[in-house]
Amino acid sequence: MIETAVLAAFLAFCRIGACFMFLPGLGSARVPPQIRLFVAVAASLALLMHLWEVIAPHVTRQPGPLLLLVGSELLIGSLIGLVARYYVLSLQFIGSAIAMMIGFGMAGGGPAIEEQEPQPAIAVLISFSALMLLFVLNFHHAIIGALVGSYRLAPVNALFDPQSALVDLTDTLSEAFMVMIRLGSPFVAYGILVNLAIGFINKLTPQIPIYFISLPFVIAGGLLLLYIAIGTFLSLFADGFFPVTVGR
């Protein structure tokens, strides 16, 4: 009985822990691995009592089938975490594009919230605000609910389906980037119109360095547009998170 309980807890930790390692925020490079590990262990033990009936019957002591179950659970948990992480990574992409469109692309920034690579300050601000909004809206509760529901859709004995996982990841990327393109479309239009106008002016007065003169005005206009649109931007981002990720 003790061995069954330990193996069941380990199988639960494989799926839940793998998901938590890739989750936005908890899976960030800013969070120490020890914290992520302890949170994953705590969540696994807390959910084990609710998942006992769907995990314990499939526990086996044979090394071969047990390793197969462990690998399958790790891949399923990673898939759930990656679906949520791809949505936030697409926001980082459009944040960097917005920074470039409003003239902040060349400005020195700091490390990204989720990764170690440097990112423009505007993109970091947008990513951090969106991530904080997700935590305020308890997206981690929805992820935990999705993990519990995943045992109904993908039981332990069903094993990992690579084709279905690839379809889910592809659809998530497609829908997430469509959402982000719609959110960033005002800034894309602003960048195109401003650069087009500056190009015409530069043709009329080629002896004047129009680009360097106009850059402060381009940044000021972009910041004003960001100030006006940031509330709606974050609201639409949060509205699209659940249908694109856990609603799948």
Side-chain angles (χ1 to χ4, degrees), residues 15 62 91 108 111 143 198 202 220:
R15 182 176 296 198
Q62 301 178 2
L91 177 71
I143 295 296
I198 293 173
N202 191 44

Side-chain angles (χ1 to χ4, degrees), residues 9-47:
F10 181 70
L11 286 178
F13 171 75
C14 288
R15 182 176 296 198
I16 298 171
C19 176
F20 274 49
M21 290 295 165
F22 287 101
L23 272 186
L26 293 176
S28 170
R30 305 287 162 265
V31 180
Q34 296 88 344
I35 301 298
R36 284 183 274 174
L37 178 62
F38 291 151
V39 171
V41 170
S44 301
L45 294 178
L47 293 175

Side-chain angles (χ1 to χ4, degrees), residues 44-236:
S44 301
L45 294 178
L47 293 175
L48 181 60
M49 63 179 68
H50 302 286
L51 302 173
W52 178 262
E53 295 182 357
V54 297
I55 296 178
H58 306 293
V59 171
T60 177
R61 300 179 184 178
Q62 301 178 2
L66 181 61
L67 288 176
L68 190 62
L69 290 178
V70 168
S72 174
E73 292 297 290
L74 287 173
L75 291 174
I76 293 174
S78 301
L79 173 65
I80 298 172
L82 282 174
V83 165
R85 191 173 186 85
Y86 278 175
Y87 190 77
V88 176
L89 289 178
S90 64
L91 177 71
Q92 291 186 5
F93 164 78
I94 199 62
S96 299
I98 289 173
M100 181 181 65
M101 292 295 175
I102 66 175
F104 263 102
M106 295 185 297
I113 299 299
E114 293 290 323
E115 309 294 339
Q116 294 286 2
E117 292 79 10
Q119 199 176 27
I122 293 295
V124 174
L125 177 63
I126 293 174
S127 301
F128 181 76
S129 301
L131 189 60
M132 182 177 64
L133 181 61
L134 290 181
F135 275 103
V136 169
L137 296 176
N138 293 324
F139 92 100
H140 48 294
H141 294 175
I143 295 296
I144 292 175
L147 281 170
V148 175
S150 68
Y151 284 94
R152 182 180 67 256
L153 300 175
V156 176
N157 61 333
L159 300 181
F160 179 74
D161 185 1
Q163 181 178 3
S164 176
L166 185 60
V167 170
D168 287 339
L169 290 177
T170 304
D171 290 345
T172 300
L173 280 174
S174 175
E175 294 179 18
F177 275 95
M178 284 300 297
V179 171
M180 298 309 157
I181 290 299
R182 289 197 294 268
L183 293 181
S185 57
F187 301 93
V188 174
Y190 172 80
I192 293 174
L193 292 175
V194 166
N195 284 283
L196 186 62
I198 293 173
F200 281 134
I201 297 173
N202 191 44
K203 286 294 184 181
L204 294 175
T205 56
Q207 68 275 14
I208 301 176
I210 297 297
Y211 176 79
F212 298 100
I213 296 175
S214 63
L215 186 58
F217 299 98
V218 174
I219 294 176
L223 290 178
L224 179 62
L225 179 61
L226 182 64
Y227 173 76
I228 296 172
I230 189 63
T232 305
F233 182 96
L234 294 177
S235 177
L236 293 176

